[in-house]
Amino acid sequence: MENIIASAVSQVGDSGTENAPRRCPPGSFVIFGGGGDLTHRLLLPAIYNLACAGLLDDGFSVVAVDRADLTDAQLRQSMYVALENFVARRGAEAVALRADIWDWLAPRIRYVRGDFEIGQTYQDISTIVGDRNCIFYLAVAALFFGPIVDRLGEAGLVREGRNAFRRVIVEKPFGHDLPSAIALNTRLLDTLTEQQIYRIDHYLGKETVQNILALRFSNGFFEPLWNRQNIDHVQITAAETVGVEQRARFYEGTGAVRDMVPNHVMQLLAMTAMEAPISFDADAVRNEKTKVLDAIHTLSPDDVVRGQYAAGTVGGTEVPGYRQEPGVDPHSLTETYVAMKFQIDNWRWAGVPFYVRTGKRLAARKTEIAIHFKSAPYALFRDTPVDRLAPNIMVMHIQPTEGVTMQFSAKIPGPAVRLGGVRMKFDYAEWFSEGPSTGYETLIYDCMIGDATLFQRADNIEAGWRAVQPVLDWGQDSQTLALYTAGSEGPKAADALLARDHRHWLKIG
Ligand code: BG6
């Protein structure tokens, strides 16, 4: 789990290649749903970036499996267009699509037309991949995860040879509640070993999310403060400005809790709160994550605020309310926002609330983790004009700004003792020449080299669901749904959740 693109690039100019990431082993990258949006928008660009960084072996190939009637040539053409768009989107640093890379990649792309539930499809795949290394990527609707893995097993496609691995990458959503996640794990584990399953959470592909561990554990001065003695509370925010977009069918039965909390938000919480693993070994990291998620205290209704956006203005544009969106039930009770107060019952965190909130159509797009430290003792300032000491806050900015800020007090110049809040800022882009990243490069690369650190183990997934399961059990009908204006900071009830504890949210917009 390193920035393989950036380090591959920087190593070129460095003195040695000792630490350069190694090339992936040869093998086929088989994508179920290979004709679809995820493949075109993210997976193929990530593969292109890996090729540009010289990390793919000559024996690498892509096999796209889908139901549309396409030829190899037609698929390559649509992928070419997708890559051109991807390169164009890079803005200032845009360069044309590299012809040498495309010429290398295009003949390595094959198409298999077939139904995911029919044996013939798997025979066709088998003919192409032979006995080579294979990754099967399930970029399909969740209802196909189980059937595809069953068929892969029946066709003998996941049997590992002495020198050939067979791995399966499973996209989100992994289940829609705790029982279904357990059932899916059981079903996959009937055919595969845990070591063959790579459950993706795309948040773990984000550099800034990976940086949380680096920041905490590679610096001497954070960790001694990282506990209940010094931290008052933590705020985790994953705010979006987009609405439900074209996904009403999926979102109506899902809602903000299922869509964001057991997966992405829990990853942020686990990275922030976990104990130091004994190494970056996949199981060492995942053990610690599960431990901390398992220590989450059972939620009570008072700890949760559900909201839904009403019409409003986002970025100067008027937008409809959720219930007016195409495909949404005009009486829908689906939440597009949730705020929750989690308590972690362990020695490090007892008594330190972790407030999390996520929602669509909020004032700004912003994902961040804010660590609010306890205030210093006031005694020294009682005879000065300073009437209170502001708490120190450290904010880890995940996106769109990437970096860390520290807020603390400094003396305002002048004869009297007066304090002003100041901010010290580290900006990723200023310090590092970032590699061109979709977020999927590291994940694909890691799976190819067999490093599962950034993927979720069965127990991680289940621990995430377990933490939110009470909200799902209470059901929509029995819970209040607070409306909030699109483009706002979220429902007032979410402010009340913190006000009750004499705290307030940092502003989103
Ligand atoms: C997805 C959710 O998993 O994550 C979407 O299904 C959400 O609803 C998206 O918009 C957010 O991802 P990111 O990377 O834009 O924060």
Side-chain angles (χ1 to χ4, degrees):
M1 47 169 284
E2 51 188 324
N3 184 344
I4 33 127
I5 301 291
S7 54
V9 173
S10 69
Q11 289 297 335
V12 173
D14 286 345
S15 50
T17 52
E18 235 179 319
N19 296 320
R22 59 188 154 111
R23 271 186 177 217
C24 299
S28 294
F29 193 75
V30 181
I31 311 173
F32 288 89
D37 180 61
L38 182 74
T39 306
H40 284 76
R41 213 165 35 83
L42 293 167
L43 301 183
L44 197 76
I47 288 169
Y48 168 83
N49 284 338
L50 289 171
C52 290
L55 292 170
L56 298 181
D57 187 272
D58 277 338
F60 173 83
S61 66
V62 175
V63 181
V65 186
D66 222 322
R67 282 170 296 191
D69 207 357
L70 288 176
T71 61
D72 284 349
Q74 284 167 326
L75 177 76
R76 286 175 192 152
Q77 178 55 26
S78 77
M79 288 187 162
Y80 182 80
V81 173
L83 281 181
E84 274 195 318
N85 288 337
F86 167 72
V87 174
R89 276 202 309 271
R90 278 196 206 149
E93 46 144 351
V95 278
L97 184 65
R98 278 181 56 182
D100 57 332
I101 298 296
W102 177 250
D103 290 346
W104 181 89
L105 192 57
R108 291 179 166 76
I109 299 176
R110 299 284 305 274
Y111 186 64
V112 170
R113 182 186 168 276
D115 197 300
F116 303 144
E117 308 245 27
I118 288 179
Q120 182 61 44
T121 309
Y122 297 82
Q123 283 172 26
D124 294 346
I125 296 171
S126 183
T127 309
I128 295 182
V129 301
D131 57 3
R132 297 163 1 118
N133 294 326
C134 255
I135 291 175
F136 299 100
Y137 196 114
L138 310 189
V140 292
L143 68 114
F144 290 115
F145 295 165
I148 290 177
V149 170
D150 291 350
R151 302 280 177 287
L152 284 170
E154 284 156 19
L157 275 163
V158 287
R159 212 174 300 125
E160 302 200 292
R162 243 158 47 113
N163 295 313
F165 62 72
R166 296 290 159 113
R167 297 175 186 144
V168 177
I169 302 184
V170 189
E171 261 293 336
K172 166 179 174 277
F174 199 97
H176 55 91
D177 56 12
L178 178 59
S180 60
I182 293 175
L184 182 56
N185 274 327
T186 308
R187 184 164 177 182
L188 301 191
L189 286 163
D190 273 349
T191 300
L192 303 162
T193 63
E194 177 62 44
Q195 287 67 32
Q196 289 179 289
I197 308 175
Y198 287 69
R199 300 172 191 79
I200 271 205
D201 182 318
H202 80 275
Y203 264 50
L204 291 176
K206 294 180 194 288
E207 277 301 324
T208 36
V209 174
Q210 295 166 30
N211 187 43
I212 300 170
L213 291 194
L215 198 73
R216 284 188 58 195
F217 300 127
S218 70
N219 297 294
F221 55 73
F222 295 126
E223 214 36 37
L225 298 178
W226 215 258
N227 54 46
R228 59 196 292 272
Q229 275 77 37
N230 303 291
I231 293 177
D232 177 70
H233 74 282
V234 176
Q235 294 185 13
I236 300 181
T237 300
E240 300 186 272
T241 50
V242 292
V244 68
E245 299 176 291
Q246 272 54 270
R247 304 164 68 218
R249 234 177 99 205
F250 160 78
Y251 202 82
E252 271 285 85
T254 303
V257 175
R258 288 186 166 91
D259 191 34
M260 295 292 289
V261 184
N263 33 65
H264 310 324
V265 171
M266 282 299 149
Q267 288 301 332
L268 300 179
L269 186 145
M271 298 283 234
T272 307
M274 67 193 260
E275 296 300 316
I278 52 162
S279 71
F280 276 126
D281 176 67
D283 277 329
V285 172
R286 300 187 298 179
N287 287 344
E288 294 306 335
K289 279 189 179 174
T290 299
K291 263 199 240 165
V292 77
L293 294 182
D294 278 346
I296 291 179
H297 196 272
T298 309
L299 286 169
S300 79
D302 287 348
D303 298 328
V304 181
V305 173
R306 295 166 65 251
Q308 188 189 74
Y309 63 84
T313 308
V314 177
T317 309
E318 282 184 24
V319 297
Y322 178 69
R323 290 177 189 169
Q324 288 83 54
E325 298 272 19
V328 172
D329 175 355
H331 306 289
S332 173
L333 294 178
T334 300
E335 78 285 349
T336 60
Y337 175 101
V338 66
M340 293 167 153
K341 175 182 172 182
F342 287 109
Q343 300 272 6
I344 301 175
D345 274 342
N346 65 17
W347 272 72
R348 190 189 279 264
W349 295 116
V352 180
F354 280 66
Y355 300 101
V356 312
R357 60 181 162 170
T358 180
K360 296 202 180 282
R361 289 282 192 235
L362 291 170
R365 175 170 185 250
K366 182 184 273 188
T367 303
E368 66 182 29
I369 301 163
I371 315 290
H372 292 243
F373 288 89
K374 290 188 173 164
S375 299
Y378 175 73
L380 178 64
F381 294 88
R382 67 184 159 238
D383 297 329
T384 72
V386 175
D387 58 4
R388 67 184 186 95
L389 297 180
N392 299 133
I393 306 174
M394 169 180 169
V395 184
M396 297 185 268
H397 304 275
I398 307 294
Q399 62 186 19
T401 325
E402 301 184 324
V404 179
T405 52
M406 305 275 210
Q407 291 181 40
F408 51 93
S409 301
K411 182 176 171 299
I412 300 173
V417 178
R418 288 184 306 133
L419 298 178
V422 297
R423 196 172 289 164
M424 209 160 73
K425 187 166 183 204
F426 150 67
D427 190 337
Y428 241 79
E430 262 174 38
W431 280 88
F432 302 113
S433 58
E434 285 172 88
S437 172
T438 63
Y440 276 77
E441 289 83 355
T442 311
L443 297 174
I444 293 175
Y445 174 85
D446 281 0
C447 181
M448 296 217 275
I449 62 164
D451 180 352
T453 312
L454 295 178
F455 293 84
Q456 303 216 69
R457 214 169 46 189
D459 55 345
N460 297 154
I461 293 259
E462 290 169 16
W465 278 114
R466 195 167 291 114
V468 301
Q469 189 59 38
V471 187
L472 309 179
D473 288 342
W474 300 329
Q476 291 183 340
D477 294 343
S478 69
Q479 295 176 69
T480 332
L481 187 67
L483 291 185
Y484 60 98
T485 310
S488 71
E489 294 279 318
K492 295 272 174 293
D495 297 339
L497 180 73
L498 268 71
R500 205 175 67 194
D501 298 343
H502 310 289
R503 300 186 175 107
H504 60 270
W505 293 106
L506 293 184
K507 262 183 88 65
I508 296 175

